[in-house]
Amino acid sequence: MDQSSAAPAPGELGRDDDIVAAFQLEERPVSGRVVRLGPVIDEILSAHELPMPVAALLGEAVLLAVLIGDSLKFEGRLIVQASGANANPGGLGGEGAVSFVVADYAVGEGVRGFARYDADRVAVLEAEHGPRPGAERLLGSGAFAMTIDQGADMDRYQGVVALDGPSLAACAEHYFAQSEQVPTRIRLAVGQEMVDGGSMRWRAGGAILQRIAGDDARGHDAHAFADAQVLFDTVEDDELLDPGVSSGKLLYRLFHEDGVRLQPGKQVMRRCTCERERLARILAGFPAEDRDDMVKDGAVVMTCEYCNRDWRFTEAEIDAAG
């Protein structure tokens, strides 16, 4: 779908929630992606009773996982992680009120995410700095990592940088500048809207802009990315969150003079890998005393950290899975 400077504003494409789509500036060596999440982000953030600062941080991680994971050219996974000091990128613990936040996007399957935090310390930060104290205050010093998992028969690739910036978007920009040497700009927004009956539901939207190699069609203008970034930086949170502002309309507002091509959107789904048989096998490997500590009302209960679902097992079922 080619939207040149003479074309009317895009209408339907990109309108729906839970969509990620790539775009390209026709006359500049610049490309990007845009994502809009409705029910998917509401399910992820509502699975746990998260304080506002933690929910916003986790929402940012989910947006990043989708925006960057959608660029994978194979059926793999992109994992975005941020952990406080004294925690490895794949581990837990740390000095911040939030010790660990992770989002996992699997191509063709969907996205999931969760966070671990100290509720009392989060409440102190919220009282001192408001509902959005920022990634640096929530996580403290630590590491930001992105991991590409190409499957069981392939090595994982992981890039790690120090947490640097007030948001996960800033951390990701730092990652691309340091690890990939790719000029990158990212905008992320996470918020709530009121629905019928007065209840609230989560929404999220984001976009990524990157410089790509020039060619005869797009030119080799060294200033092209900087010029596009000036326009990109005018994006407001409300535009990313408003269901009435489609991705197409937003991109047309920003880049219609350059000619912007928005690719067909891909559906984004919520995923979780908690399966009864797999969890039973995991429990079968636990020491008996650990399983005893998990007994509630006569059953061994395991709670999925991602979807917060309780799975109940009998001892016989666990023994049979071992």
Side-chain angles (χ1 to χ4, degrees):
M1 181 175 180
D2 187 3
Q3 300 298 339
S4 68
S5 59
E12 300 305 305
L13 184 58
R15 178 194 61 182
D16 297 334
D17 286 336
D18 301 333
I19 293 291
V20 59
F23 65 88
Q24 169 71 55
L25 302 195
E26 292 295 278
E27 300 177 5
R28 295 179 184 269
V30 177
S31 66
R33 279 176 171 73
V34 60
V35 61
R36 311 295 287 272
L37 300 180
V40 163
I41 197 67
D42 188 57
E43 289 179 23
I44 291 172
L45 300 185
S46 298
H48 303 267
E49 294 184 4
L50 300 174
M52 173 67 78
V54 180
L57 187 70
L58 178 55
E60 286 190 13
V62 170
L63 287 169
L64 280 175
V66 176
L67 282 170
I68 300 167
D70 183 63
S71 67
L72 297 179
K73 305 302 182 184
F74 49 85
E75 293 186 358
R77 296 163 58 218
L78 188 286
I79 304 163
V80 172
Q81 306 169 82
S83 52
N86 306 319
N88 294 322
L92 299 173
E95 66 177 18
V98 177
S99 58
F100 185 71
V101 61
V102 61
D104 175 343
Y105 177 81
V107 176
E109 296 182 27
V111 65
R112 61 179 183 164
F114 82 95
R116 284 195 173 174
Y117 61 95
D118 183 314
D120 292 337
R121 295 171 72 182
V122 170
V124 170
L125 286 176
E126 193 171 7
E128 293 177 349
H129 303 285
R132 303 294 178 99
E136 286 178 321
R137 290 192 179 98
L138 287 168
L139 289 158
S141 60
F144 175 87
M146 286 198 287
T147 304
I148 296 175
D149 184 350
Q150 302 180 67
D153 298 328
M154 302 289 288
D155 291 335
R156 283 188 171 193
Y157 167 77
Q158 184 178 75
V160 183
V161 296
L163 284 170
D164 184 13
S167 66
L168 292 188
C171 293
E173 290 173 355
H174 176 62
Y175 169 91
F176 279 108
Q178 183 169 314
S179 299
E180 306 291 336
Q181 288 80 54
V182 177
T184 301
R185 193 68 174 163
I186 300 171
R187 286 299 317 274
L188 307 174
V190 181
Q192 290 180 298
E193 65 173 350
M194 184 176 293
V195 296
D196 294 342
S199 62
M200 305 297 289
R201 65 184 177 191
W202 290 100
R203 295 189 58 78
I208 184 171
L209 190 76
Q210 293 185 307
R211 188 178 72 189
I212 60 176
D215 56 27
D216 291 340
R218 300 182 181 93
H220 302 270
D221 183 359
H223 302 290
F225 179 78
D227 293 342
Q229 179 183 320
V230 170
L231 298 172
F232 186 78
D233 286 347
T234 67
V235 174
E236 300 288 344
D237 286 359
D238 288 348
E239 293 178 291
L240 292 170
L241 296 175
D242 188 347
V245 179
S246 71
S247 298
K249 288 180 179 178
L250 174 60
L251 292 172
Y252 182 81
R253 179 184 76 76
L254 295 174
F255 302 121
H256 66 277
E257 292 185 356
D258 295 304
V260 57
R261 181 186 294 271
L262 178 61
Q263 302 297 328
K266 300 176 185 176
Q267 194 73 35
V268 179
M269 299 168 289
R270 181 196 182 198
R271 64 182 284 264
C272 196
T273 58
C274 59
E275 299 174 349
R276 189 170 191 84
E277 294 77 8
R278 186 177 70 86
L279 295 180
R281 291 194 298 270
I282 292 173
L283 286 172
F286 282 17
E289 56 269 23
D290 290 347
R291 284 180 7 206
D292 289 344
D293 292 338
M294 300 169 69
V295 173
K296 297 178 183 178
D297 299 325
V300 178
V301 179
M302 176 179 276
T303 303
C304 176
E305 290 182 305
Y306 285 91
C307 68
N308 204 31
R309 178 179 176 182
D310 286 340
W311 293 83
R312 302 175 63 84
F313 299 89
T314 65
E315 289 289 352
E317 187 178 4
I318 296 171
D319 291 340

